[in-house]
Amino acid sequence: MGKTTLKEFEAVFPLLVDELMGVLEQYKIPAEAAAWYRRNLEQNTLGGKCNRGMSVVDTYSILTGQDKLSDTEYLRTAILGWCTELLQAFFLVADDIMDSSKTRRGSPCWYLFDGVGNIAINDSFMLESAVFILIKKHFRKESYYIDLVELFQETIFQTELGQLLDLITAPEDRVDLSKFSLAKHSFIVIFKTAYYSFYLPVALAMYMAGIATESNLKQARDVLIPLGEYFQIQDDYLDCYGDPEHIGKIGTDIKDNKCGWLINKALAIATPEQRDILDKNYGRKDDEAEARIKQVYIELELEKCYQEYEEQAVGKIRGLIDQVDESNGLKKEVLTSFLNKIYKRSK
């Protein structure tokens, strides 16, 4: 993929901010509240890689066989792309509060900004509402308008279900590895990441391209959900084994009691002695405890386990892509381009 650039994509965002601010003006909200909302939008939506948003544009280009979209088509696909980025911003603002996170994209988390605090909870709701305001403004007259609304609503609920299971399985302040399992981990990553990061952008482009039949959506979902699960497991692996300089952050999953793939794989194959070390040291804010966990990971050869998992998962995904029926407009290239982006990535 990679046809649209971040610069092109980001050029659309100020137009959408202006439209959202126009809605506030209609409501005659006082200037201080309007200024707050603008700051909320700009601080929390900009600054990421925008992979999800740009995927909408690039998927639409592939589906319609166009190297260069018209200005109107580019704008409309980019609006749907920015709706996915607003959705991501809504999730992240809320997630950072729940996780007591400190930094996001190189600056303090929004709730830690001076004077923000718990107002960030309402700010996250307002980021979510922006999605539906923009869809209504730009797609109200389209035959697939309600499909877009329902797709976003369903994706939000799926992500919240994944977050719920994550929060009750692995609270940061209470470690209980008996609650962990590879099955729970799979549910968490599919619902918390795969649906909104992989399926949503492609489904949005499919609706706009007029090929969102039930069978096409199912074919896309059947590939993109396992792909999203692989992506998150890869993320869990890189948190422990990736190069911090390359990734741009130091991994904290062990200290943060994260229900990641590595700990769940370790629990599945550990000896009783190793299990005892895992129980006593996982989720502690302590360098020595973290080192003990990593030593068990070495003994269990988790790097090798991951590499075996990766080859098996990618083989299965490639097999699923090969089976895709392209006769009704869905193109294998859309799915292959996602896989090529993440296979063997190092950051």
Side-chain angles (χ1 to χ4, degrees), residues 75-298:
L75 178 64
R76 285 166 68 74
T77 51
I79 289 165
L80 288 178
W82 276 112
C83 284
T84 69
E85 293 297 326
L86 283 160
L87 189 72
Q88 158 93 331
F90 151 53
F91 291 147
L92 296 184
V93 169
D95 203 33
D96 286 343
I97 300 167
M98 289 181 259
D99 289 349
S100 304
S101 300
K102 297 292 178 276
T103 59
R104 170 69 64 187
R105 294 170 178 165
S107 69
C109 296
W110 178 241
Y111 79 99
L112 293 174
F113 271 61
D114 190 36
V116 177
N118 282 342
I119 300 170
I121 299 168
N122 192 61
D123 289 336
S124 75
F125 301 158
M126 293 189 75
L127 293 165
E128 178 191 19
S129 296
V131 172
F132 296 100
I133 291 166
L134 291 170
I135 293 173
K136 184 175 181 182
K137 179 170 171 51
H138 293 276
F139 296 93
R140 181 77 178 78
K141 293 183 175 136
E142 300 296 340
S143 59
Y144 54 86
Y145 168 64
I146 196 65
D147 295 310
L148 297 181
V149 171
E150 288 183 347
L151 177 61
F152 271 104
Q153 287 177 335
E154 185 178 29
T155 305
I156 289 166
F157 189 54
Q158 287 162 333
T159 310
E160 289 164 349
L161 286 173
Q163 175 74 338
L164 170 64
L165 187 58
D166 195 12
L167 290 167
I168 63 174
T169 302
E172 205 172 322
D173 58 346
R174 200 170 63 255
V175 183
D176 180 0
L177 297 186
S178 69
K179 288 186 167 185
F180 284 30
S181 71
L182 282 165
K184 272 188 187 173
H185 175 263
S186 179
F187 185 95
I188 290 166
V189 301
I190 287 171
F191 279 77
K192 191 177 168 179
T193 302
Y195 277 110
Y196 93 91
S197 299
F198 289 85
Y199 176 65
L200 174 65
V202 172
L204 290 170
M206 288 169 71
Y207 277 114
M208 219 182 123
I211 63 148
T213 62
E214 208 169 302
S215 64
N216 274 351
L217 289 168
K218 185 181 185 306
Q219 287 195 103
R221 192 165 54 243
D222 287 349
V223 173
L224 292 163
I225 297 308
L227 193 68
E229 183 176 18
Y230 160 52
F231 172 83
Q232 185 56 52
I233 289 173
Q234 195 179 43
D235 228 39
D236 294 350
Y237 170 78
L238 290 172
D239 182 88
C240 185
Y241 292 106
D243 177 354
E245 280 188 25
H246 210 51
I247 299 167
K249 63 178 182 178
I250 294 166
T252 60
D253 283 4
I254 293 171
K255 288 182 180 176
D256 291 346
N257 190 36
K258 285 283 162 48
C259 182
W261 186 82
L262 292 170
I263 183 63
N264 279 292
K265 185 67 181 173
L267 291 168
I269 60 175
T271 64
E273 293 77 20
Q274 289 167 329
R275 171 63 191 248
D276 190 49
I277 295 167
L278 296 174
D279 279 328
K280 285 176 178 166
N281 293 279
Y282 199 75
R284 283 175 52 187
K285 310 283 186 195
D286 174 345
D287 290 345
E288 287 180 19
E290 183 183 47
R292 287 185 206 107
I293 297 290
K294 288 189 173 181
Q295 182 55 41
V296 174
Y297 286 2
I298 291 167

Side-chain angles (χ1 to χ4, degrees), residues 186 190 219 221-230 233 308-324 335 339 343:
S186 179
I190 287 171
Q219 287 195 103
R221 192 165 54 243
D222 287 349
V223 173
L224 292 163
I225 297 308
L227 193 68
E229 183 176 18
Y230 160 52
I233 289 173
E308 287 168 0
Y309 158 78
E310 180 172 51
E311 292 314 311
Q312 190 182 357
V314 170
K316 185 183 164 197
I317 291 162
R318 286 200 172 119
L320 290 167
I321 293 171
D322 286 342
Q323 290 168 25
V324 167
L335 306 167
L339 178 58
Y343 180 50

